[in-house]
Amino acid sequence: MTDRHILTAVAWPYANGPRHIGHVSGFGVPSDVFSRYHRMAGDDVLMVSGTDEHGTPITVAADAEGITPREIADRNNRIIVGDLQSLGLSYDLFTRTTTANHAAVSQEIFLGLLKNGYVFPKTTLGAISPSTGRTLPDRYIEGTCPICGYDGARGDQCDNCGNQLDPIDLINPVSKINGEAPKFVEEEHYFLDLPAFTRALGDWLGTRKSWRPNVLNFSVNLLTDLKPRSYTRDIDWGVPVPLDGWRDRSDKRIYVWFDAVVGYLSASIEWARRSGNPDAWRQWWQEPDADAYYFMGKDNIVFHSEIWPAQLLGYNGAGDKGGTPGPYGRLNLPTEVVSSEFLTMEGRKFSSSRNVVIYVRDFLARYDADALRYFIAVAGPENQDTDFTWAEFLRRNNDELVAGWGNLINRSVSMAAKNVGAVPTPGELTDDDRALLATTSGAFAPVGELLSRNRQKAAINEAMRVVGEANKYLSDQAPWKLKEDPARRDTVLHTALQAIKDCNALLTPFLPHSSQTVHELLGGTGVWSVAPEIQEVADLDDGSPYPIITGRYEQGQAVWASTPLPAPGTPLAPPKPIFTKLDPSIVDEELRRLEEDGDPA
Ligand SMILES: [Zn+2]
């Protein structure tokens, strides 16, 4: 084991509905591939996330159904936990933002910023209902967006252009409750002093040479026009503001985005508390040589390369106003913000409201998790917007996964099982045998290097190229023609099985489910690749029940190196198919489903 600590900080899926495959292409599978690779390489990985459950869209959904925001959050949290676990995403802790621990950590960060002067009160114009005199929550105010002209913009943001708004910005604002024009009165809110971090953020970004150029350029450009941003909002659902006179007010909360990003820290702390060593999180957040990789879609870059780093810098006392760290001590900034591009579906933007969507759950009801993971790794939106088509999914699955990797395993394992029934005994190796084994064992360094830099598409392509070499070797050596020379046949089969063992390790970060099966087919016992599990737990502070994803990943045997087959003579498990060949008719079926469910837009 090395002592390298790596935090994998995965974007928090928003709990207003189930997640579709576009979401898990952006934050889910890439972060899991990265974490699994680093665990195999001997690094100490902490992978955390949870459902983001505060904010206006949850309250709007709750209003529409006549239930509480908490009920909406409970329901969708459970669905999302099930989906992410089914995909094999190996979180050390997947939690939620409605825990008492998360509220306490969010409040501590707010107080630390306040103490150092980076959060300040400001009198601003807030909306009240003229007829009742009560505060009007941002979501109950609608009007025309001052930026794009969209008619249905809400008081906190415009869903058309995505810009964050204040109610006072809206043109012709009206109350959604009774249609009256809100009255704007002076009231106090707290603001994050982003301009005070322009220099510190610039210095930090100046050292981030390894980032994808588009992410780095976008982040640097943000610094040209930083303005204070409202840390508190007029909403009744969120983390209370921890100040006298504010704590008990039901209409003021910390802005959802400013508590959601704190989730990376609060989840790490919750994980440590659950592990029995409450300070264990500090190894990932305070050691100077620890690394932190943040995974998300490109629409969230601003919160990870500007807002969250500013919160951390302010808490550390490292902005223009100086200051000292709070009780958590000095906290590490992101090593890298790993942002993916967007996935579209059959040429259209995913849209839950227009039903241009396939949810993770529905996908996994019909297809294997590893088939989806393979598609995302080899053809996902790593560095450009990418279209998911059923025809391409079918082709990748049948031509590459089944006819390439699956066929190599089936041919070799079936022949060894039938002719030997056990791991064969190799004789002296020929140059061809040695060349193949040099290729497969030599692939760990270059594929590992690509994975450590999150060039996952190049990494899986290189691994599949090596699979192709092994297939070619098997066809060239044709062990099925060596009936008269069983010693040579067994040498070829042993070489092929060893190559498969190497390829299986190379593919384990991408295909964790099938890698366990391949391990067993090769005579291996025990757990090769650990699956995440769902546990029902009680909130550490208030006792309320919720499900988490966690796992004992250190118990897996998978390592990032060529490891020898079990000893010759070890019985082989009876062969069975690893991947499912799909019938071409699924393309038309799925397109019909999309047409029936979706609007024709
Ligand atoms: Zn707009």
Side-chain angles (χ1 to χ4, degrees):
M1 286 297 258
T2 67
D3 282 318
R4 190 175 172 208
H5 287 88
I6 296 178
L7 176 72
T8 307
V10 192
W12 289 55
Y14 196 61
N16 62 339
R19 298 296 88 183
H20 57 63
I21 63 166
H23 292 126
V24 295
S25 306
F27 69 81
V29 172
S31 61
D32 185 60
V33 170
F34 179 79
S35 298
R36 287 181 180 272
Y37 159 69
H38 276 291
R39 289 192 193 105
M40 287 174 73
D43 297 322
D44 259 336
V45 173
L46 179 63
M47 175 169 166
V48 292
S49 187
T51 41
D52 174 10
E53 302 182 0
H54 293 134
T56 303
I58 301 276
T59 59
V60 169
D63 290 348
E65 289 194 39
I67 59 178
T68 65
R70 177 73 192 209
E71 286 169 315
I72 291 274
D74 282 348
R75 183 176 72 203
N76 289 320
N77 162 260
R78 194 163 284 279
I79 292 172
I80 291 168
V81 161
D83 290 351
L84 302 185
Q85 188 266 345
S86 302
L87 253 185
L89 304 186
S90 57
Y91 297 97
D92 291 283
L93 179 66
F94 185 92
T95 177
R96 58 196 306 193
T97 56
T98 45
T99 64
N101 175 74
H102 176 73
V105 177
S106 300
Q107 292 175 335
E108 168 53 30
I109 295 293
F110 175 87
L111 290 173
L113 289 163
L114 186 70
K115 171 181 70 86
N116 285 337
Y118 297 107
V119 162
F120 60 90
K122 185 179 156 190
T123 301
T124 168
L125 290 174
I128 61 165
S129 159
S131 52
T132 66
R134 303 226 312 254
T135 301
L136 258 181
D138 297 339
R139 71 174 181 279
Y140 288 125
I141 304 168
E142 264 187 7
T144 303
C145 173
I147 297 164
C148 73
Y150 174 65
D151 268 342
R154 282 193 320 256
D156 58 345
Q157 74 170 33
C158 171
D159 283 339
N160 188 54
C161 67
N163 279 291
Q164 197 204 346
L165 303 173
D166 285 306
I168 191 79
D169 299 335
L170 292 174
I171 300 162
N172 298 326
V174 292
S175 161
K176 277 175 68 177
I177 296 171
N178 57 14
E180 66 188 356
K183 189 172 150 198
F184 287 94
V185 298
E186 290 200 333
E187 57 176 37
E188 234 181 22
H189 270 291
Y190 280 85
F191 282 73
L192 177 63
D193 189 3
L194 284 170
F197 302 107
T198 304
R199 185 187 49 80
L201 287 171
D203 290 349
W204 167 65
L205 288 172
T207 64
R208 304 292 94 198
K209 305 294 184 202
S210 66
W211 291 22
R212 292 174 185 165
N214 57 332
V215 181
L216 188 57
N217 293 339
F218 177 85
S219 304
V220 169
N221 283 339
L222 291 172
L223 301 182
T224 55
D225 188 27
L226 292 183
K227 292 190 177 67
R229 277 181 95 163
S230 186
Y231 211 108
T232 52
R233 304 293 305 202
D234 287 317
I235 184 171
D236 54 5
W237 173 241
V239 175
V241 184
L243 296 172
D244 293 341
W246 286 68
R247 198 175 282 110
D248 301 322
R249 285 187 66 164
S250 62
D251 58 342
K252 305 283 180 198
R253 291 289 183 268
I254 288 176
Y255 176 43
V256 57
W257 262 111
F258 288 28
D259 92 66
V261 288
V262 173
Y264 302 116
L265 176 62
S266 69
S268 302
I269 291 174
E270 182 185 340
W271 169 84
R273 292 177 66 191
R274 292 192 180 281
S275 78
N277 176 4
D279 282 325
W281 63 273
R282 295 181 186 275
Q283 296 174 295
W284 285 271
W285 284 89
Q286 295 185 323
E287 283 184 5
D289 52 358
D291 284 309
Y293 290 81
Y294 289 70
F295 290 81
M296 74 215 64
K298 64 180 168 186
D299 48 338
N300 291 339
I301 294 173
V302 60
F303 292 99
H304 295 88
S305 69
E306 179 199 316
I307 302 289
W308 177 229
Q311 287 170 285
L312 289 166
L313 286 163
Y315 188 81
N316 292 346
D320 286 350
K321 296 174 176 172
T324 52
Y328 293 146
R330 206 199 60 83
L331 302 170
N332 289 341
L333 267 61
T335 303
E336 184 168 347
V337 171
V338 185
S339 161
S340 63
E341 305 291 309
F342 289 144
L343 191 72
T344 52
M345 180 151 182
E346 299 288 348
R348 289 187 268 173
K349 204 174 152 184
F350 276 97
S351 164
S352 304
S353 57
R354 289 200 310 276
N355 274 322
V356 183
V357 75
I358 180 157
Y359 293 111
V360 173
R361 167 156 305 191
D362 296 336
F363 199 105
L364 296 184
R366 301 200 280 278
Y367 309 102
D368 295 337
D370 279 6
L372 177 56
R373 293 178 61 114
Y374 180 76
F375 182 91
I376 290 171
V378 78
E382 179 176 288
N383 42 27
Q384 58 185 28
D385 289 350
T386 304
D387 198 32
F388 175 91
T389 66
W390 288 103
E392 180 70 355
F393 173 69
L394 177 87
R395 188 186 76 72
R396 294 281 189 181
N397 182 78
N398 284 1
D399 294 2
E400 297 175 7
L401 212 45
V402 176
W405 175 222
N407 192 36
L408 172 67
I409 301 163
N410 281 343
R411 287 200 292 170
S412 312
V413 172
S414 305
M415 248 204 111
K418 194 171 115 214
N419 291 284
V420 190
V423 175
T425 304
E428 199 174 324
L429 301 188
T430 65
D431 285 351
D432 287 342
D433 304 339
R434 277 192 292 268
L436 177 66
L437 295 177
T439 299
T440 59
S441 64
F444 286 93
V447 175
E449 200 269 339
L450 290 165
L451 283 173
S452 71
R453 292 192 295 121
N454 279 299
R455 306 311 194 258
Q456 297 187 358
K457 199 173 278 196
I460 197 167
N461 278 325
E462 178 59 14
M464 289 301 282
R465 189 189 68 75
V466 173
V467 167
E469 295 280 325
N471 261 322
K472 180 170 182 306
Y473 166 88
L474 199 62
S475 299
D476 291 349
Q477 299 297 325
W480 45 89
K481 290 184 187 162
L482 293 172
K483 285 198 184 69
E484 310 302 316
D485 188 356
R488 176 61 195 153
R489 179 198 64 200
D490 286 2
T491 304
V492 169
L493 286 174
H494 190 273
T495 304
L497 294 182
Q498 179 62 54
I500 289 170
K501 191 161 198 311
D502 290 349
C503 292
N504 192 45
L506 292 168
L507 290 167
T508 293
F510 303 101
L511 309 172
H513 305 91
S514 50
S515 74
Q516 176 67 34
T517 313
V518 174
H519 169 72
E520 290 163 12
L521 285 179
L522 297 177
T525 53
V527 180
W528 170 261
S529 158
V530 179
E533 55 194 77
I534 298 174
Q535 283 179 10
E536 299 292 333
V537 299
D539 187 292
L540 292 167
D541 304 294
D542 71 21
S544 54
Y546 60 99
I548 60 170
I549 304 175
T550 187
R552 298 158 124 194
Y553 307 112
E554 72 285 356
Q555 295 187 349
Q557 299 166 35
V559 292
W560 194 255
S562 175
T563 53
L565 286 168
T570 305
L572 291 173
K576 57 177 171 181
I578 317 276
F579 303 107
T580 310
K581 187 172 182 185
L582 298 172
D583 191 277
S585 65
I586 67 122
V587 174
D588 283 345
E589 268 167 44
E590 294 291 352
L591 288 175
R592 201 174 313 122
R593 224 176 240 127
L594 199 60
E595 288 311 314
E596 282 165 7
D597 294 348
D599 289 351

